[in-house]
Amino acid sequence: MTTRFPLTGGCNCGAVRYEVTEPLVRASYCHCRLCQRRTGAAASAQAHPAPGSFRITSGMEALRTWKPLSGGGEKWFCSECGSAMFGSNPSHPESIGIRMGTFDDDPGIRPSVRQFVAFAAPWEPIPDDGLPRFPQRRHERDPRLS
């Protein structure tokens, strides 16, 4: 299947809509407790657009953000239906994580890494899918390698 641009997506109720005008750069699974609680699932699949290729096309007024007191990135959600939509990380401000379940069609990319596997849900084992696994954030260097 050929991916057609712009990619579009939105929340469950349709209040928030967005588009991505270029191929996605990467996708990943996150197994952290914040993602587990935010989604109600064992992991969150997210895709990252190229800088400047993502925009909200409608419903900006319906979006709300939550920022954990412990630090970390903002979590964006629809205030009408509660759909988890996007995430951002202050250490990588150019990057946004779009929740893959919000795309209207196949986004043409598959997750290529699993991060925060040290916090994986014990009730759903991580599949043996061959993806690289990182105990914490994939961007952090292992201090044992310094």
Side-chain angles (χ1 to χ4, degrees):
M1 178 181 162
T2 302
T3 304
R4 299 177 67 154
F5 293 94
L7 291 171
T8 58
C11 65
N12 265 326
C13 71
V16 178
R17 300 289 302 158
Y18 66 85
E19 71 178 16
V20 177
T21 58
E22 296 177 30
L24 296 159
V25 176
R26 68 185 174 287
S28 61
Y29 289 110
C30 182
H31 294 269
C32 79
R33 293 293 291 151
L34 288 174
C35 283
Q36 290 171 17
R37 288 185 172 138
R38 182 179 40 74
T39 63
S44 174
Q46 52 231 342
H48 303 275
S53 67
F54 168 83
R55 76 180 185 99
I56 297 165
T57 57
S58 65
M60 188 67 179
E61 67 284 352
L63 282 171
R64 299 292 180 271
T65 59
W66 176 74
K67 187 167 183 168
L69 293 175
S70 61
E74 292 180 336
K75 309 304 180 196
W76 293 70
F77 63 95
C78 174
S79 64
E80 300 293 321
C81 65
S83 294
M85 303 290 299
F86 322 110
S88 63
N89 183 333
S91 63
H92 299 280
E94 74 288 349
S95 181
I96 187 167
I98 302 169
R99 305 305 169 223
M100 290 184 73
T102 66
F103 285 107
D104 291 333
D105 298 308
D106 184 348
I109 195 168
R110 304 296 180 261
S112 61
V113 66
R114 292 181 178 276
Q115 62 181 355
F116 290 99
V117 297
F119 304 95
W123 42 266
E124 186 173 327
I126 298 173
D128 187 15
D129 54 14
L131 296 180
R133 298 177 183 194
F134 294 87
Q136 302 282 332
R137 180 176 285 115
R138 72 175 183 274
H139 303 295
E140 292 177 0
R141 288 185 45 85
D142 186 332
R144 297 171 292 181
L145 301 176
S146 297

